[in-house]
Amino acid sequence: MSRPAHRRPEYHKINKDLFVLTYGALVAQLCKDYEKDEDVNKYLDKMGYGIGTRLVEDFLARSCVRRCHSYSEITDIIAQVAFKMYLGITPSVTCNNPSRTEFSLILDKNPLVEFVEELPAGRSSLCYCNLLCGIIRGALEMVHLAADVTFLQDTLKGDRVTEIGITFLKKLDEKKYRRKK
Amino acid sequence: MADEALFLLLHNEMVSGLYKSAEQGEVENGRCITKLENMGFRVGQGLIERFTKDTARFKDELDIMKFICKDFWTTVFKKQIDNLRTNHQGIYVLQDNKFRLLTQMSAGKQYLEHASKYLAFTCGLIRGGLSNLGIKSIVTAEVSSMPACKFQVMIQKL
């Protein structure tokens, strides 16, 4: 099929809406199936992990990024290339500790919650976007980097911005230079 | 912008996740398909609302089906429906020869028994879209050889 020459701008938006709406329907269904918020959060994280392990291949194939030499480079690429490519936003990156293994991605605008007004009653500890944490964790693990990814701030819980914290667990150099004694 | 890949992966994870958490048996299988279809229904309702915000009013049922086959399918699956057939009495068959959600799975008869799981969401999508355009329907899908599939829409006269 040939693509139409003039793409109406709405087409891109509808495509994004498809993903956002599907995600919303999924979370709604999970809330119906599971009583506890922790179960829903865990389930979303597991799903995100499965998606992340496959998404990273798609990402690497499309983006042609060069090999990274530090955790901050990796976090920058996640924020500026990956998030831009898949969600159309560019979160800002801050470093949280002097040894440069803990970073935060700050999202002013979270496209996943575009249609969400507020968390349902009785679901106050639900991490609505936990899928994102799982995706990042799964993707990093596929490139041999262990990391802990959690939500530090969430607009749905009253915070001003959404903040995702990434803590890298093993030092990159250790694998290259240290040898088992 | 949100890539097709993201939706595809999310959809596949949804299907496998739902089935993993369900037990074995015919009843559970049916329940999973119903859940997927209901999710698709809700998404279809929302999508069609945003999509037809600025379009002109539809003349009749056939016009609506043509819209689903052309504009709606193109936006969601990046291609049009290849063939639309009707008996002019409320039954429409939409044929897609290269259904986006099945192309990565197989090209022939392999995994045919699993195809229905991956079509349930889209059946709901069509049903939801039609529902918000004022048409009550029942949508089923059949696959004889991947990745081609047929969606059958039965309009329910109120």
Side-chain angles (χ1 to χ4, degrees):
Chain A
M1 288 283 137
S2 58
R3 292 229 175 124
H6 308 288
R7 264 270 169 96
R8 276 190 301 178
E10 295 109 66
Y11 281 3
H12 280 299
K13 201 167 181 300
I14 304 288
N15 247 317
K16 190 153 71 90
D17 290 345
L18 174 64
F19 178 72
V20 175
L21 287 171
T22 308
Y23 185 65
L26 171 69
V27 179
Q29 182 66 45
L30 288 177
C31 286
K32 253 193 267 184
D33 288 343
Y34 296 102
E35 287 265 342
K36 299 214 284 244
D37 295 343
E38 298 84 57
D39 291 336
V40 180
N41 292 341
K42 221 170 25 158
Y43 192 94
L44 285 173
D45 188 75
K46 211 165 43 140
M47 273 188 73
Y49 180 81
I51 295 179
T53 54
R54 296 171 178 88
L55 194 68
V56 70
E57 286 176 25
D58 183 80
F59 170 69
L60 290 173
R62 279 183 216 245
S63 63
C64 316
V65 288
R66 285 195 319 232
R67 195 187 169 89
C68 294
H69 298 286
S70 70
Y71 291 137
S72 61
E73 245 183 273
I74 294 171
T75 318
D76 283 334
I77 294 211
I78 295 179
Q80 286 156 17
V81 188
F83 264 84
K84 183 97 177 78
M85 193 187 284
Y86 292 110
L87 293 175
I89 52 165
T90 312
S92 48
V93 180
T94 60
C95 183
N96 291 347
N97 71 344
S99 59
R100 302 189 77 74
T101 55
E102 288 179 25
F103 297 88
S104 287
L105 297 171
I106 311 228
L107 292 81
D108 296 320
K109 207 170 67 86
N110 187 353
L112 285 182
V113 306
E114 201 179 317
F115 304 121
V116 182
E117 284 175 11
E118 55 178 16
L119 287 176
R123 291 277 180 191
S124 51
S125 52
L126 177 70
C127 288
Y128 184 82
C129 305
N130 222 23
L131 195 90
L132 288 179
C133 292
I135 293 184
I136 299 177
R137 190 169 63 89
L140 286 174
E141 196 160 310
M142 280 291 117
V143 289
H144 304 296
L145 290 166
D148 251 338
V149 189
T150 49
F151 268 95
L152 299 173
Q153 286 190 78
D154 195 348
T155 44
L156 289 178
K157 295 188 183 156
D159 300 310
R160 205 175 44 85
V161 292
T162 307
E163 187 177 342
I164 302 178
I166 306 180
T167 308
F168 291 94
L169 296 174
K170 275 203 290 250
K171 287 179 79 82
L172 267 173
D173 307 320
E174 224 171 275
K175 281 202 209 124
K176 259 175 104 177
Y177 299 118
R178 297 266 172 86
R179 254 187 276 153
K180 283 208 183 126
K181 295 251 160 79
Chain B
M1 284 291 119
D3 249 355
E4 202 186 344
L6 206 50
F7 171 69
L8 215 73
L9 288 172
L10 178 65
H11 177 259
N12 291 350
E13 274 300 321
M14 266 169 29
V15 175
S16 76
L18 266 175
Y19 272 84
K20 237 187 278 180
S21 51
E23 294 108 37
Q24 291 298 320
E26 261 323 297
V27 177
E28 283 303 322
N29 192 25
R31 219 172 273 167
C32 289
I33 299 233
T34 313
K35 279 190 200 165
L36 284 166
E37 217 258 350
N38 285 336
M39 280 198 259
F41 181 78
R42 188 63 198 94
V43 177
Q45 282 184 315
L47 268 184
I48 211 86
E49 264 175 19
R50 303 182 71 69
F51 206 166
T52 55
K53 206 163 38 122
D54 299 317
T55 51
R57 218 153 68 124
F58 295 108
K59 291 195 290 281
D60 57 12
E61 212 172 76
L62 187 59
D63 212 23
I64 295 184
M65 292 310 298
K66 283 201 219 161
F67 174 79
I68 300 270
C69 295
K70 289 211 225 141
D71 299 298
F72 188 71
W73 218 255
T74 311
T75 306
V76 178
F77 298 113
K78 308 276 202 319
K79 65 184 285 289
Q80 293 183 5
I81 286 277
D82 296 304
N83 199 343
L84 171 67
R85 284 203 296 270
T86 175
N87 66 355
H88 293 290
Q89 276 163 15
I91 300 202
Y92 297 84
V93 179
L94 289 71
Q95 186 169 340
D96 191 331
N97 290 332
K98 216 170 160 224
F99 188 50
R100 249 341 195 266
L101 300 180
L102 293 178
T103 40
Q104 310 283 4
M105 223 171 283
S106 98
K109 308 271 183 193
Q110 198 185 20
Y111 299 125
L112 205 58
E113 65 275 13
H114 298 290
S116 57
K117 299 181 202 164
Y118 293 89
L119 296 169
F121 185 85
T122 312
C123 289
L125 206 67
I126 301 174
R127 189 167 69 90
L130 287 174
S131 146
N132 262 15
L133 288 173
I135 298 182
K136 199 156 176 266
S137 59
I138 296 182
V139 184
T140 54
E142 64 171 88
V143 188
S144 50
S145 167
M146 307 235 242
C149 64
K150 292 200 193 123
F151 294 94
Q152 188 180 46
V153 181
M154 278 180 282
I155 312 280
Q156 315 256 274
K157 296 283 183 229
L158 290 160

